[in-house]
Amino acid sequence: MTAVDDFSLSVGPGECVGLVGESGCGKTTTGLAIMRLLPGNGHIGAGSVILDGVEMSSLSEKEMQSHRGRSVALIPQDPMSSLNPATKIGKQIGEGLRIHFGASDAEAHKRALEVLEMVEMPRPAERLGQYPFELSGGLRQRVIIAMSLVCRPKLLIADEPTTALDVTIQAQILDIIDNLRTELNMGVLLITHDMGVIAGRADRVVVMYGGRKAEEASTMDLFHGMRHPYSQALLASMPSLETASKQELASIAGLPPDLSKPIEGCRFAPRCVFATDQCRLEEPPFTMEGDRTFACFHPVQGPRETIVRETVVRDKAGTSPTELLRVENLTREFAIKAGLIRHKVGAISAVAGVNFAINQGETFGLVGESGCGKTTIGRMVVGLEAPTAGEVFFDGVSISSHSRRPAREDRRQLQMMFQDPYSSLNPRMKVADIVGEPLLVQSEGNRAQRRRRVEELLLATGLDRYAADRYPHEFSGGQRQRIGLARALALNPRLIVADEPVSALDVSIQAQILNLMKDLQREHGLTYIFVSHDLAVVYYMADTIGVMYLGKIVEIGDAESVFRNPAHPYTQGLLDAVPVPEPVEARARRGRQVTGELPSPVNPPTGCRFRTRCPRAQGICAAEEPLFQDFGPSQQAACHFPLRTPVSLTARSASSS
């Protein structure tokens, strides 16, 4: 199999080149080939890798070892699996300096502290003595960046460096990489599937598809006048802040080609709406237009607007909303225990007095950074966690009584889609058994009837019936997310909690899943709680949005008001942190996002919990918890110094909204 075929790119000193495309297109393989870190069955069959005049592809393994980490360094996609859990951070960062320069432990320790300060690590001296599991995802990513910089490499390969991170932490990490490449005059190859990240960070863009280059241009030229239909389709798949609407996302049908089989013609032809017989028979040559290169017989002339689909709006005329779910003063604390008898020494305030209601057939978007309590709320709604205080009412009946577990009938009506579909699917069970298990538990039908129901669900979620006899590892991430959705639908629930269902998916697969969820909502009258850290995605899905910060809702209202005219500084910070697939606007947003780390929920700040990161905070913010104020007919926010003048002040505190 040829994973990368006749592919060329260059990166200059201090330049950031974005390498973009879907999973399976060869981006990571390209990065690993440069590093000479291909798996055992992989090798560079032809071509060359020249770094600062050195032909890297012809070096022996021992010679190459002297360049890895010193001349070229890698930021891998998953920082946790790349760090040794049994070794302290300081020792891991200093290892490269000891290997390449023979530094002493004291010298390595000093340099480790320097690079942690360079990557803006909070309390860097303290972190040197900690282990990876003691750090958050964003802090672990900073450690990986520090490790890659310790020997001052000439080229940094950043392979999806912010995948699945909160938008605020993502922006901070990308800012750090930008600042360091300027300071060190270091070239950066930024590998990602997110066109928004590319727009705001890259000087040039290389679009890769099926192991080959599809298009290359400067960032401004690509986004304002792309030529390849694949580039256009990637951009159209993204929910955008600038052109946000309730229009159906223009997803790319099908999957990237199977590179283990011979390919005839253009590799994108089976998925391209402009393909002709010529495209299916002949491989298009590269065309040059100034500094732009593209390979297409039928080039397009612009960005997403030319291929956006028709508007899809749910018709609610003549219907009155019916409340399905209400949570009142919902609170969840987790005890911290210590000592031989495990006595309670403190508590983690995960959720603190949250209130909201959802109508039948609508979507409630719950947005905020990791650690804000979003997932905990979802787990309490479906009965996987018991609240410390407060109530969950479903169809007017309390289902969260502390004296009993949720009834089996309650569980039928409420289901959950988990963030990581693979870890939530039993790898030893076939899909038929996974999807059909809820039917078996609830004694629904006989074996043949359950099998028919499973096949119906697979077809409804965009899979074929033959998927029933395969195992989870045989599917892509997007397909596994469809399996999780099929399982959630098995018992015809009325409400589904979707916990970050698209956070780690390619933009094209993300669009397919979001469109599918909306289609199923219209067909079956489903109600969703949609949990995410991305306000652009939440806006596309939600009727109402609740913005959470450190266990509390700080702003709530209809999606249009919260998204278009936020009142709380934290909401605006989340909006500013979302990558925008438009280079001019993306660069204008730099520095406007929320900075700093989320405070500890063990000892949250007094008064307003957001005050330690808020640019508008004053003395009253530490002394008094802000009251909710009205900013429109269906929009409220709890802030002493809001972005807009409130309509009126309610008589409720932020903890009893």
Side-chain angles (χ1 to χ4, degrees):
M1 180 179 79
T2 304
V4 177
D5 187 9
D6 193 22
F7 182 80
S8 301
L9 64 75
S10 64
V11 183
E15 183 184 31
C16 179
V17 174
L19 183 57
V20 66
E22 296 168 279
S23 295
C25 286
K27 307 186 304 297
T28 295
T29 301
T30 300
L32 293 177
I34 294 171
M35 294 285 295
R36 296 272 304 276
L37 288 175
L38 292 169
N41 61 344
H43 67 279
I44 299 175
S48 61
V49 178
I50 301 174
L51 179 63
D52 200 27
V54 178
E55 172 56 82
M56 310 283 280
S57 60
S58 62
L59 297 178
S60 67
E61 177 58 26
K62 185 174 182 180
E63 291 171 327
M64 189 63 203
Q65 287 176 2
S66 67
H67 287 276
R68 290 195 198 104
R70 183 174 182 174
S71 302
V72 56
L74 174 70
I75 301 176
Q77 185 169 346
D78 181 5
M80 191 58 185
S81 63
S82 305
L83 294 171
N84 188 333
T87 304
K88 292 181 179 180
I89 295 300
K91 187 174 182 180
Q92 294 192 59
I93 295 175
E95 184 178 22
L97 207 66
R98 291 191 294 271
I99 291 173
H100 290 295
F101 297 99
S104 65
D105 288 346
E107 291 170 333
H109 187 275
K110 180 181 178 181
R111 176 62 177 159
L113 180 59
E114 289 176 0
V115 291
L116 281 183
E117 291 172 344
M118 289 172 65
V119 299
E120 302 174 18
M121 175 72 81
R123 305 191 304 278
E126 176 185 332
R127 306 299 184 188
L128 291 173
Q130 292 183 316
Y131 292 92
F133 63 84
E134 297 181 80
L135 306 180
S136 67
L139 295 184
R140 287 196 293 264
Q141 196 64 279
R142 291 172 197 241
V143 171
I144 287 290
I145 296 173
M147 290 176 65
S148 67
L149 295 175
V150 73
C151 294
R152 298 181 179 273
K154 297 179 176 67
L155 174 67
L156 179 65
I157 301 173
D159 185 10
E160 300 277 10
T162 59
T163 295
L165 290 180
D166 295 331
V167 288
T168 53
I169 303 302
Q170 171 180 269
Q172 292 176 31
I173 296 297
L174 293 173
D175 281 345
I176 288 169
I177 294 174
D178 267 346
N179 295 337
L180 290 172
R181 76 178 171 97
T182 302
E183 179 182 338
L184 303 176
N185 197 32
M186 174 180 63
V188 174
L189 179 61
L190 178 59
I191 298 173
T192 182
H193 61 253
D194 191 329
M195 295 290 273
V197 169
I198 290 293
R201 308 291 169 171
D203 301 306
R204 283 189 296 118
V205 185
V206 178
V207 181
M208 193 172 190
Y209 183 79
R212 302 205 72 185
K213 184 191 299 184
E215 184 169 6
E216 180 176 1
S218 72
T219 303
M220 293 295 178
D221 286 346
L222 184 90
F223 280 86
H224 294 154
M226 52 191 54
R227 295 291 181 262
H228 201 286
Y230 180 60
S231 307
Q232 188 187 62
L234 280 178
L235 186 60
S237 299
M238 284 194 67
S240 169
L241 290 175
E242 298 305 294
T243 58
S245 71
K246 299 295 185 179
Q247 288 178 317
E248 185 175 3
L249 297 172
S251 61
I252 310 173
L255 295 170
D258 183 351
L259 299 179
S260 65
K261 300 177 181 178
I263 300 174
E264 188 175 7
C266 174
R267 300 182 178 210
F268 187 58
R271 307 172 72 190
C272 181
V273 296
F274 305 108
T276 62
D277 289 341
Q278 181 187 21
C279 304
R280 299 180 185 95
L281 295 174
E282 302 176 30
E283 185 172 318
F286 281 104
T287 301
M288 298 288 295
E289 285 186 1
D291 294 332
R292 179 198 303 275
T293 304
F294 61 90
C296 183
F297 289 118
H298 308 289
V300 295
Q301 297 297 321
R304 72 158 88 211
E305 285 75 16
T306 58
I307 60 170
V308 171
R309 298 181 181 180
E310 296 180 358
T311 302
V312 179
V313 180
R314 201 161 49 244
D315 183 10
K316 299 178 183 178
T319 63
S320 57
T322 302
E323 184 178 286
L324 180 67
L325 183 86
R326 173 178 290 275
V327 303
E328 293 184 356
N329 197 35
L330 200 62
T331 301
R332 183 67 168 104
E333 294 183 349
F334 295 93
I336 301 174
K337 297 183 179 181
L340 293 175
I341 60 173
R342 307 299 295 168
H343 62 284
K344 182 177 178 180
V345 296
I348 297 173
S349 177
V351 178
V354 165
N355 299 266
F356 61 83
I358 313 174
N359 293 327
Q360 174 71 44
E362 295 187 349
T363 298
F364 180 75
L366 202 53
V367 69
E369 297 167 279
S370 295
C372 285
K374 308 184 304 295
T375 296
T376 303
I377 286 179
R379 292 176 64 85
M380 285 191 285
V381 167
V382 300
L384 294 177
E385 295 277 358
T388 305
E391 294 285 344
V392 177
F393 294 93
F394 185 79
D395 225 4
V397 178
S398 174
I399 60 171
S400 59
S401 174
H402 310 298
S403 61
R404 67 176 181 89
R405 299 283 292 173
R408 177 170 290 188
E409 187 60 31
D410 295 338
R411 289 188 179 277
R412 293 179 63 99
Q413 304 296 321
L414 302 116
Q415 296 293 321
M416 191 161 187
M417 285 178 66
F418 295 93
Q419 180 173 357
D420 182 358
Y422 191 65
S423 65
S424 63
L425 302 175
N426 190 328
R428 298 183 179 181
M429 292 173 65
K430 291 183 177 180
V431 168
D433 298 321
I434 291 171
V435 176
E437 188 175 32
L439 300 171
L440 181 63
V441 170
Q442 295 282 348
S443 303
E444 288 282 327
N446 56 37
R447 186 171 182 176
Q449 291 170 328
R450 290 195 294 270
R451 175 70 184 207
R452 283 196 298 271
R453 174 62 175 158
V454 167
E455 292 181 356
E456 290 172 1
L457 290 165
L458 293 177
L459 291 173
T461 52
L463 298 167
D464 59 56
R465 59 171 53 90
Y466 303 108
D469 297 313
R470 296 160 63 190
Y471 291 92
H473 72 270
E474 299 180 72
F475 296 90
S476 67
Q479 289 172 321
R480 288 196 288 264
Q481 199 61 274
R482 291 172 186 264
I483 294 168
L485 179 56
R487 178 187 169 101
L489 292 169
L491 295 171
N492 294 314
R494 297 173 65 188
L495 183 143
I496 294 177
V497 176
D499 184 12
E500 300 276 13
V502 296
S503 63
L505 298 179
D506 292 334
V507 289
S508 58
I509 305 301
Q510 170 183 281
Q512 293 176 20
I513 298 297
L514 295 177
N515 289 338
L516 173 62
M517 291 180 68
K518 277 204 162 186
D519 290 342
L520 292 170
Q521 184 175 44
R522 287 191 295 270
E523 292 171 14
H524 302 286
L526 290 170
T527 304
Y528 291 127
I529 295 178
F530 192 92
V531 174
S532 180
H533 59 252
D534 189 334
L535 261 169
V537 170
V538 169
Y539 171 77
Y540 172 69
M541 288 294 298
D543 300 284
T544 305
I545 295 176
V547 181
M548 283 198 75
Y549 184 79
L550 204 61
K552 290 181 175 287
I553 286 183
V554 297
E555 183 165 0
I556 190 168
D558 66 277
E560 196 69 24
S561 297
V562 172
F563 187 85
R564 303 290 184 188
N565 207 3
H568 199 284
Y570 181 60
T571 308
Q572 185 64 61
L574 290 178
L575 284 167
D576 288 338
V578 176
V580 179
E582 204 295 310
V584 176
E585 177 61 23
R587 285 159 170 75
R589 289 174 177 270
R590 289 187 188 176
R592 284 162 35 189
Q593 68 274 359
V594 178
T595 58
E597 296 293 323
L598 197 72
S600 170
V602 177
N603 186 27
T606 59
C608 174
R609 295 190 174 193
F610 182 58
R611 65 175 174 81
T612 58
R613 301 169 73 190
C614 181
R616 304 167 72 91
Q618 298 183 30
I620 190 175
C621 302
E624 298 180 17
E625 185 173 358
L627 302 175
F628 268 98
Q629 303 175 78
D630 294 326
F631 293 88
S634 58
Q635 183 182 11
Q636 293 182 319
C639 182
H640 291 298
F641 303 100
L643 303 176
R644 296 192 285 122
T645 302
V647 176
S648 65
L649 184 67
T650 69
R652 294 173 293 178
S653 72
S655 62
S656 59
S657 56

